[in-house]
């Protein structure tokens, strides 16, 4: 299944859709009905850095 992203919003702000985003997500297989298990060995934090939202994954699992 191929889906075309035509618009994005974050709160009340419209965000332009970058060229190639639909193709990138379609190729990555992001449109799936299969549930993706959480990353139990990582802590996920969403931060605002220089006016951008960044998802940071921090490894907290066993380092041995």
């Amino acid at each position: 299944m191929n889906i075309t992203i035509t618009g994005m919003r974050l709160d009340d702000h419209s965000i332009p859709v970058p060229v190639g985003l639909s193709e990138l997500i379609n190729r990555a297989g992001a449109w799936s009905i299969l549930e993706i298990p959480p990353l139990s060995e990582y802590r996920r934090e969403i931060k605002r850095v220089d006016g951008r939202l960044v998802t940071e994954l921090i490894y907290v699992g066993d380092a041995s």
Side-chain angles (χ1 to χ4, degrees):
M1 170 184 1
N2 285 331
I3 294 177
T4 301
I5 299 170
T6 59
M8 297 189 301
R9 294 186 65 78
L10 181 60
D11 293 330
D12 292 330
H13 304 284
S14 284
I15 301 169
V17 178
V19 174
L21 179 62
S22 296
E23 291 79 7
L24 176 67
I25 292 176
N26 283 323
R27 283 185 174 208
W31 311 120
S32 174
I33 59 171
L34 302 175
E35 187 171 327
I36 299 171
L39 299 171
S40 61
E41 295 183 344
Y42 289 85
R43 184 176 73 235
R44 180 176 177 238
E45 293 182 14
I46 299 174
K47 301 178 177 181
R48 186 179 297 266
V49 177
D50 297 327
R52 296 178 174 208
L53 291 177
V54 176
T55 301
E56 191 173 89
L57 295 173
I58 301 161
Y59 185 72
V60 294
D62 185 19
S64 58

